[in-house]
Amino acid sequence: MLKRKRNGPISVISLVIFLFSISIFPSVVINDFTLASEVEDGVFILGSWTEKDLNGIMEQSNKIQDVGERIDFLSGKFLNSKYEDSTLVGDVNHPEELVIDLEGMDCFTYIDYVEAMQLSDNYQMFVDNVQRIRYQSGDIDFRNRNHFFTDWAVYNSGYIVDVTKEVGGHATRTVNKLLNKKADGTAYLPGIPVKERTVHYIPSESVDDDVIGRLKSGDYIGIYTDKDGLDVSHTGILIKKGKKAYLRHASSRTNNRRVVDEELLAYMHGKPGLVVLRPKND
């Protein structure tokens, strides 16, 4: 999956990847509660949250020892939050800025925020962790942004591990991809080099009770795509409720446009498969 970004008012670059589009707007600091960050340039939108609110839920989450339960708790706080794409700022021709927008989020920024929050004790640490998770070596630059879901397992290996083969067992398939290279040889994201990447995925028809039994609440789920140049088309969080598995995700569907829970098997119908990344226990 490609991270969305904003582009200047003079020209708009369209990426034909599902609903992905790129745009940029002038840097502003929005919301009276967003002055704690030490980042000079950035966009910080807390919406109905305050720093005190966020500190409170992180304090509660820190009492939850199991990382999956902690992610379930934190991600649930954003259920029904508005879906909003094109929230990130920067491209190869425009300066990258750190964006934290809790008022509206897409499927990738949603998991950015949840993972950063589960690693944090307070708001300032949360801001720092968003930067660390979103950018390779924490360097705020469009070229260093983790644009693809499987980038997490490569560049955030201190926090995340790819468990797709472990979960999928013998049903797991492996493909070699040239990420960011379309079938016609052009780039999805100009200025970003093509990456050779081995991608493991579990075909949808193989997601049975045994596979679901090996999934854990808090797993980060990528919906595998067979399109050239991409690893996944969508991301979310696996949540278990009793014997059922749900995908908690920022949904762009017209009848949703918000963070929702959907039964995993129903959501997977007609889709190629799953990629599973797992947060490491503390």
Side-chain angles (χ1 to χ4, degrees):
M1 156 164 285
L2 294 168
K3 289 283 206 70
R4 303 163 176 82
K5 60 186 188 302
R6 298 197 179 234
N7 200 357
I10 297 176
S11 64
V12 177
I13 301 175
S14 175
L15 290 180
V16 188
I17 310 171
F18 299 85
L19 298 176
F20 298 169
S21 62
I22 300 177
S23 56
I24 188 171
F25 51 83
S27 171
V28 291
V29 177
I30 304 174
N31 196 327
D32 292 339
F33 310 116
T34 58
L35 303 179
S37 174
E38 296 176 356
V39 178
E40 291 183 3
D41 295 315
V43 180
F44 303 96
I45 306 171
L46 300 190
S48 60
W49 298 93
T50 67
E51 289 181 29
K52 182 178 180 180
D53 294 332
L54 296 172
N55 285 335
I57 66 170
M58 281 182 273
E59 182 179 348
Q60 293 178 64
S61 73
N62 284 337
K63 298 176 182 178
I64 303 172
Q65 296 301 311
D66 180 79
V67 65
E69 292 178 10
R70 190 159 65 242
I71 289 173
D72 185 354
F73 169 79
L74 290 166
S75 62
K77 296 296 182 181
F78 296 97
L79 281 168
N80 295 313
S81 294
K82 181 176 66 173
Y83 176 90
E84 187 73 48
D85 61 7
S86 303
T87 61
L88 299 188
V89 173
D91 62 24
V92 69
N93 296 313
H94 300 87
E96 184 84 5
E97 299 181 43
L98 181 65
V99 173
I100 292 178
D101 186 349
L102 302 185
E103 190 173 54
M105 56 198 74
D106 63 30
C107 66
F108 210 158
T109 55
Y110 174 50
I111 66 173
D112 269 354
Y113 301 141
V114 171
E115 176 62 12
M117 198 168 284
Q118 77 93 4
L119 292 169
S120 303
D121 297 330
N122 53 55
Y123 174 73
Q124 185 57 58
M125 188 181 293
F126 165 64
V127 172
D128 294 340
N129 279 327
V130 170
Q131 179 177 340
R132 185 177 297 115
I133 289 164
R134 185 174 292 163
Y135 299 101
Q136 296 156 30
S137 302
D139 183 9
I140 301 174
D141 188 292
F142 176 70
R143 297 167 185 82
N144 294 328
R145 194 195 299 172
N146 291 324
H147 295 281
F148 299 93
F149 181 61
T150 52
D151 283 345
W152 268 26
V154 176
Y155 301 110
N156 290 332
S157 58
Y159 320 111
I160 299 292
V161 62
D162 188 334
V163 295
T164 307
K165 290 201 300 183
E166 174 186 327
V167 172
H170 68 275
T172 307
R173 295 180 186 173
T174 300
V175 294
N176 294 315
K177 289 253 185 175
L178 295 176
L179 299 184
N180 200 36
K181 185 177 182 180
K182 297 180 183 180
D184 64 6
T186 61
Y188 281 112
L189 292 170
I192 299 300
V194 172
K195 300 179 180 181
E196 295 186 24
R197 179 73 47 81
T198 299
V199 178
H200 307 291
Y201 74 97
I202 308 165
S204 293
E205 62 270 21
S206 298
V207 181
D208 55 16
D209 288 343
D210 288 339
V211 168
I212 289 175
R214 290 190 288 269
L215 290 168
K216 294 183 179 181
S217 282
D219 285 345
Y220 293 110
I221 300 296
I223 306 303
Y224 174 75
T225 178
D226 52 14
K227 287 182 177 292
D228 288 337
L230 301 175
D231 51 3
V232 306
S233 62
H234 191 60
T235 64
I237 301 170
L238 193 285
I239 301 296
K240 285 191 170 180
K241 301 177 183 179
K243 295 184 178 180
K244 289 190 175 181
Y246 294 82
L247 184 69
R248 179 169 293 168
H249 62 123
S251 172
S252 64
R253 288 177 177 171
T254 303
N255 61 335
N256 287 329
R257 302 291 297 181
R258 59 193 174 93
V259 177
V260 296
D261 284 347
E262 295 187 63
E263 281 197 49
L264 179 66
L265 291 180
Y267 184 85
M268 289 301 300
H269 182 72
K271 298 179 175 63
L274 295 177
V275 178
V276 187
L277 305 185
R278 181 166 292 166
K280 293 182 178 179
N281 282 307
D282 297 343

